[in-house]
């Protein structure tokens, strides 16, 4: 609207040859609607007055993260905001077209879905005391249950999965898109404390059904974004504020083009965890590759291992790694070879997957869920105590199954979903912000999130 108003007081003309922009506005009259640093304009003698922090020069991402409220005005951030908005719409359209119900799940919860212990606790009391006040000092003591707002410890959610499973009992296909929280004390380019996660649950009998849905979702999203020329705009936006040679921007364009094309076209390789581990261990034995962390079965895949797999197996394409060891995964995952009478606690692997992208690695993860009551309870007890109760002939040993959800366990309500009837199902989580990093070529997740919250920092 402002451009149209200014255009009425000037002439919009084609740019001279050699200019990056196609047209220029030759203004005959300009009205200043909102001046930047008006105090500096009126009192230039005062050297202590602030100046506009964002200057027409290269400024480091680290500095810009300290002013997130102003960083939003940069061309790159403006483009990312439009891209986030368009991606949100396209994802909602995809799931609507595929018959999914969009659910709103709680942010405050009593359970840790990932069982990692990296949760934010919700503060006790009816209100937060002022910093430095007498009450703040007194609150340092251990509070009893009656002092707590919810009577029991509660947390910010790390995943909507468990609540989506409750929806799924009545609605065959459900999904949600909401912020999630992790209290990781790490400051890496791949981690933040608050990020947006897309999650879906559906009735399914095979892991292939879940992976096919993820692949279809990602392909559809990228193809639709590609129609809007976001990839070219990303390169141009970064050129406007980064001091990089033109030849390097040409290489950047080719890298992004390759990334987008590999997401849209061709087949995505699939490999089991056992096969991936063998590849890693063979490289170590042959001394053709070196890793900081030794690849071991129950140690999981480290970032360097995932990058190796993405590069050697994927060769530029996304890679599905399936069937991780049951021992290193949450209790709710269905064993890979589950049968009606199998002892769930003795299965070597879980029916699960991670989707790895080159460089950025894990961007999605999912599994089939254990829908059988006895087996879920056995796995739950096995994970919490390390002492499996045993499942024989599809039945638990006496006394191993909780009688009702009144026992006080924060996950008893989840067990109720099986106690009162369930169906085979599965689902996945998709790291939206990390995926935007990959599409945009931005190496640090803190630079694609408008207000990044991470260890030691929560500005604005």
């Amino acid at each position: 609207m402002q451009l149209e108003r200014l255009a009425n007081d000037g002439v919009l003309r084609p740019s001279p040859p050699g200019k990056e922009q196609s047209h220029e506005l030759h203004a005959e009259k300009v009205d200043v609607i909102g001046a930047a640093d008006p105090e500096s304009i009126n009192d230039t003698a005062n050297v202590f007055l602030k100046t506009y922090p964002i200057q027409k020069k290269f400024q480091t991402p680290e500095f810009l993260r300290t002013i997130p409220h102003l960083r939003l005005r940069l061309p790159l951030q403006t483009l990312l905001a439009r891209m986030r908005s368009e991606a949100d719409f396209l994802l909602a359209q995809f799931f609507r077209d595929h018959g999914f119900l969009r659910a709103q799940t709680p942010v405050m919860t009593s359970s840790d879905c990932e069982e990692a212990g990296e949760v934010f606790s919700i503060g006790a009391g009816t209100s937060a005391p002022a910093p430095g006040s007498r009450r703040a000092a007194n609150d340092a003591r251990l509070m009893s249950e009656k002092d707590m707002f919810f009577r029991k410890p509660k947390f910010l959610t790390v995943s909507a999965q468990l609540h989506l499973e409750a929806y799924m009992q009545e609605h065959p296909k459900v999904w949600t898109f909401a912020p999630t929280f992790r209290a990781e004390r790490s400051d890496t380019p791949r981690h933040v404390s608050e990020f947006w996660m897309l999650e879906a649950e559906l009735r399914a009998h095979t892991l292939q059904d879940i992976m096919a849905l993820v692949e279809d979702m990602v392909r559809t999203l990228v193809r639709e974004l590609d129609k809007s020329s976001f990839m070219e705009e990303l390169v141009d936006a970064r050129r406007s504020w980064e001091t990089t040679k033109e030849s390097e921007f040409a290489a950047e364009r080719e890298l992004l083009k390759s990334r987008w094309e590999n997401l849209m076209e061709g087949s995505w390789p699939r490999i089991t965890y056992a096969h991936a581990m063998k590849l890693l261990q063979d490289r170590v034995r042959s001394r053709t590759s070196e890793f900081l962390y030794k690849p071991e079965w129950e140690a999981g895949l480290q970032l360097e291992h995932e990058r190796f797999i993405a590069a050697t197996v994927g060769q530029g394409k996304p890679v599905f790694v399936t069937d991780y060891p049951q021992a290193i995964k949450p209790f709710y995952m269905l064993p890979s070879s589950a049968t009606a009478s199998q002892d769930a606690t003795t299965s070597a692997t879980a029916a699960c997957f991670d989707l790895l992208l080159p460089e950025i690695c894990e961007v999605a993860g999912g599994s089939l869920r254990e829908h059988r009551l006895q087996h879920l309870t056995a796995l739950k007890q096995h994970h919490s105590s390390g002492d499996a109760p045993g499942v024989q002939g599809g039945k638990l040993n006496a006394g191993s199954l909780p009688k009702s959800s009144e026992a006080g366990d924060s996950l008893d309500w989840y067990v109720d979903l099986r106690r009162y009837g369930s169906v085979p199902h599965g689902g996945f989580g998709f790291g939206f912000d990390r995926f935007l990093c990959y599409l945009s070529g931005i190496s640090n997740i803190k630079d694609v999130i408008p207000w990044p919250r991470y260890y030691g920092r929560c500005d604005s």
Side-chain angles (χ1 to χ4, degrees), residues 219-453:
R219 286 187 191 277
T220 301
L221 172 61
V222 178
R223 284 170 179 165
E224 293 302 315
L225 289 175
D226 188 52
K227 293 178 183 178
S228 301
S229 302
F230 276 110
M231 192 267 289
E232 288 294 332
E233 286 191 71
L234 284 165
V235 176
D236 292 339
R238 295 184 65 177
R239 180 194 285 114
S240 68
W241 67 282
E242 290 187 4
T243 55
T244 308
K245 297 179 181 178
E246 183 60 33
S247 60
E248 294 180 5
F249 275 114
E252 171 103 357
R253 179 181 286 105
E254 289 305 310
L255 173 63
L256 286 184
K257 182 179 179 181
S258 175
R259 284 185 176 184
W260 287 53
E261 288 178 349
N262 282 327
L263 288 169
M264 293 185 287
E265 308 297 337
S267 60
W268 296 1
R270 300 182 181 186
I271 183 174
T272 65
Y273 179 90
H275 188 189
M277 188 58 62
K278 184 177 184 302
L279 288 178
L280 292 164
Q281 293 173 343
D282 286 347
R283 286 298 186 100
V284 172
R285 280 192 291 268
S286 64
R287 297 184 179 180
T288 53
S289 297
E290 293 184 0
F291 301 105
L292 180 62
Y293 296 95
K294 182 179 178 180
E296 296 179 332
W297 177 258
E298 291 197 357
L301 296 177
Q302 302 296 323
L303 178 61
E304 59 180 341
H305 303 152
E306 292 181 340
R307 283 179 172 164
F308 170 84
I309 294 167
T312 58
V313 177
Q315 298 184 354
K317 293 183 178 295
V319 180
F320 283 106
V321 181
T322 67
D323 302 288
Y324 283 70
Q326 183 92 47
I328 65 174
K329 288 296 183 178
F331 75 93
Y332 52 73
M333 291 188 178
L334 187 74
S336 296
S337 55
T339 64
S341 61
Q342 182 183 355
D343 183 343
T345 65
T346 62
S347 176
T349 59
C352 63
F353 71 86
D354 280 349
L355 178 62
L356 309 182
L357 297 179
E359 294 302 320
I360 206 161
C361 296
E362 182 191 352
V363 73
S367 74
L368 294 178
R369 319 306 192 192
E370 179 56 85
H371 59 280
R372 302 163 298 178
L373 175 60
Q374 292 96 338
H375 296 76
L376 179 72
T377 307
L379 288 169
K380 182 173 178 291
Q381 293 183 350
H382 180 54
H383 273 250
S384 61
S385 66
D387 182 19
V391 182
Q392 298 176 350
K395 297 181 179 180
L396 285 178
N397 294 337
S400 60
L401 188 63
K403 300 301 181 184
S404 72
S405 61
E406 297 177 358
D409 191 315
S410 64
L411 284 172
D412 275 347
W413 70 270
Y414 181 69
V415 177
D416 277 352
L417 300 180
R418 275 66 171 175
R419 178 177 288 109
Y420 302 118
S422 187
V423 294
H425 63 282
F428 68 91
F430 177 72
F432 181 72
D433 300 300
R434 193 175 286 183
F435 187 66
L436 283 186
C437 278
Y438 186 72
L439 286 183
S440 64
I442 295 173
S443 59
N444 198 311
I445 193 172
K446 301 177 186 68
D447 298 325
V448 300
I449 296 176
W451 275 276
R453 278 75 166 95

Side-chain angles (χ1 to χ4, degrees), residues 71-82 447-450:
R71 185 179 67 163
L72 290 171
R73 303 183 183 189
L74 288 170
L76 179 59
Q77 291 296 322
T78 300
L79 174 58
L80 287 173
R82 289 197 293 111
D447 298 325
V448 300
I449 296 176

Side-chain angles (χ1 to χ4, degrees), residues 93-158:
Q93 186 177 59
F94 172 86
F95 282 103
R96 182 179 177 83
D97 291 345
H98 285 73
F100 279 74
L101 170 80
R102 186 168 189 173
Q104 285 76 43
T105 54
V107 171
M108 295 185 289
T109 180
S110 60
S111 55
D112 174 11
C113 175
E114 299 294 327
E115 297 187 302
E118 297 167 338
V119 294
F120 284 103
S121 297
I122 297 175
T126 56
S127 62
S133 67
R134 180 176 299 177
R135 181 185 161 197
N138 292 337
D139 278 358
R141 64 183 175 83
L142 181 64
M143 301 189 74
S144 63
E145 285 189 7
K146 67 178 182 180
D147 295 318
M148 296 183 182
F149 189 88
F150 292 111
R151 305 303 184 206
K152 299 283 186 180
K154 306 301 174 185
F155 317 99
L156 294 181
T157 183
V158 298

